[in-house]
Amino acid sequence: MKIEVNATSRKAQGTGASRRLRKAGRVPGIVYGSSEPVLIDLDQNSLYYALQNEAFHASILTLNLEGKKEQVLLRDFQMHPFRQQVQHIDFQRVAKDKKIHMKVPLHFLNAEIAPGVKLGGGIISHVLNELEIACLPADLPEFIEVDLANLELGHSVHVSDIKLPKGVELAGHHHAGDAVATVQVPRGAVEAAATAATEEAAAEAPAAPAEADK
């Protein structure tokens, strides 16, 4: 998916200038990397809705800066504490021949047919929802699929079980043995079973001898 972002250059800096931009429906931002940083501003509404798109966070974006286009990655953004307003945004330029580090979302497949769910009555617990990877820009996936079709009750899918796309390698703090998703018995079922066991044990216990009549 190719996503293009339109921006204009800005010269004014500082808190006051940024406040005026936001009141005018614009978002202050910056583009950095490989050459001089450039201050920019973008349309608030367009940017806010673009940020709702998962792919916007894990794709190579085309930044159209007044007719000049370059490839960038979203690196950071700040939201207003309680308004639906983007306060600031950072983009980083990318070079075709240099590896990038990104956090890519995980898409879980076949959860409904996993034996631990279908036969064991368990529920899927997601331990990780994204992986940090390294790759060349051309190899960057929008997401990575995790197949849960063979997951048994009480078992886990680990990082080592995930098939990474060609040209993609793990980065960051991940280890092969880290759990990505597990199938667990629902807590309510565990508590119900414990309660039933307690009641059954109480029912089977011999009755206490009645106190002898005086």
Side-chain angles (χ1 to χ4, degrees), residues 40-99:
I40 59 173
D41 62 80
L42 309 90
D43 178 69
Q44 164 69 229
N45 288 337
S46 299
L47 184 59
Y48 176 79
Y49 286 108
L51 286 167
Q52 310 311 305
N53 181 359
E54 180 185 73
F56 193 80
H57 297 257
S59 299
I60 304 296
L61 309 173
T62 299
L63 182 69
N64 184 352
L65 184 56
E66 299 173 350
K68 180 184 177 183
K69 298 184 179 182
E70 54 187 344
Q71 305 300 106
V72 300
L73 290 170
L74 170 64
R75 278 309 189 193
D76 193 20
F77 67 97
Q78 292 85 44
M79 297 295 297
H80 191 278
F82 53 87
R83 295 177 190 162
Q84 292 182 338
Q85 183 184 56
V86 189
Q87 297 286 90
H88 194 274
I89 193 160
D90 296 2
F91 295 102
Q92 180 184 1
R93 300 182 186 94
V94 297
K96 292 181 179 180
D97 58 346
K98 290 186 178 180
K99 285 190 176 183

